[in-house]
Amino acid sequence: MHASKANGANASSAAPSSSGAGSDRPASSWSPNSWRTKPCLQQPPWPDPTALDRALTELRSLPPLVTSWEIEALKSQLADAAKGERFLLHGGDCCEQFDECTSSAIAAKLKILLQMSLVLVHGGRRPVIRVGRFAGQYAKPRSSDTESRGDVTLPSYRGDNVNRAEFTAADRTPDPFRLIDGHARSAMTLNFIRALIDGGFADLHHPENWDLEFVKHSPLAADYQKMVEQLGESLRFMETLAGAQVLGTNRVDFYSSHEGLILDYEEALTRTVPHREGFYDLSTHFPWVGYRTVDPDGAHVEFFRGIANPIGVKLGPDMSPESLRRALEALDPKREPGRLVLICRFGAHQVAKSLPPMIDEVGRLGRTAVWVCDPMHGNTETVVPASGAGKGVPVKTRKFAHILAELEQSFEIHRAKGVPLGGVHIELTGEDVTECTGGARGLGDEELARAYRSRVDPRLNYEQSLEMAMLIARRMRGAT
Ligand code: PEP
Ligand code: CO
């Protein structure tokens, strides 16, 4: 185990000091590696410090995955979302897998996000910011460091950036060279997405490009088709009026995002760029701090406070107003528009109690942020199917009705408070998996085993995602 990774300083990877783009502390107090002086949760127990240093040295020399101007463009769009002038759609896998870095899986993810965004534009009458939980979502926090099966106890699976899911000692041993594989797969994913978009795949004039195989068989197909036709007509009408193509409709922006969990990795991709001040985490456009690592005195908040990216912060039911205040002060001392995205994950049974005081506290502090509802992480449960292939075997799932209930309550709470709900954060896939129950087809517990593929949290499948977008759009139409 590399002890210094957990909470000590590692002199060999010292980086130059800087003021940190988001910091009001003395100029020398933040650097890309200052997190090493703080308690750091959820880091892999790397067994070989020399191997880790070699992997990180290589990572530091590799090109970044995104650019600072893309990051700044996203930040300015998020500033609009904070005012209710845009809506953030943040979605994708709980945990990407190396073996799903395939053209079909990537295209399916892009398609479902494009389709959902089209539905949301139509319903919400405002531009949608599309951010995928992809091209780097390869590391997971875990509730336990180890997993036991029978007499055997092994390190927990922490995502493909760290180890493999199979339950053998060799597979579960953290391997730092997987960080380099993760960087490469992130680059391949982004490369393919950029090429698809540049080639016109995301052209709003041709949404028929995004039909997934099974859209034809979906109970929602007719509604969706009708909406696409209406949008096409509006687009043609506007272009006839303007006598030209409506700006931006033949191309859409897409941004990437992942939980900034493994700070060795994030630090290695954190760089200065010509003609701009400060440090950018160039591993992704939009990293977020997970709920388990949001301690204001911890290493993650220390790292995030100094990078110039917009950042997400997960808020949950156990967070006190005092730690919220301290985290926000550390992370956004300059109150920069578009800097903070507060991703709330309280659960359908808790949101009415927990969300209003959080909104009040942020208002009392005179802060603005993009408020986002993550209706997934507070609604995870374990069920034991009474029949079907998975009979008697406990399985982690989420009910469509609970996800929707949290979303609907959030819309209502934000409306009552007069503070816009600026977006949604959803775990989903463009494929026909069976991981969450309910939805238009009424997927039951007994069907979960048929196509359960997530190694971590259950995702909405293609149809459930599209249905959710339609229900959100309906709610947005009512709310505006
Ligand atoms: C996640 O987004 O997959 C996750 C682990 O969420 P949270 O930090 O909210 O538990
Ligand atoms: Co998750």
Side-chain angles (χ1 to χ4, degrees), residues 94 133 140 377 398 427 457:
C94 178
R133 281 176 67 116
K140 294 308 297 175
H377 288 89
R398 291 165 174 154
E427 287 187 340
D457 288 338

Side-chain angles (χ1 to χ4, degrees), residues 94 133 140-141 259 288 290-292 314 345 374 377 425 427 457:
C94 178
R133 281 176 67 116
K140 294 308 297 175
E259 178 172 348
W288 79 84
Y291 188 46
R292 291 175 180 78
K314 291 272 193 129
R345 28 90 82 224
D374 164 1
H377 288 89
H425 177 112
E427 287 187 340
D457 288 338

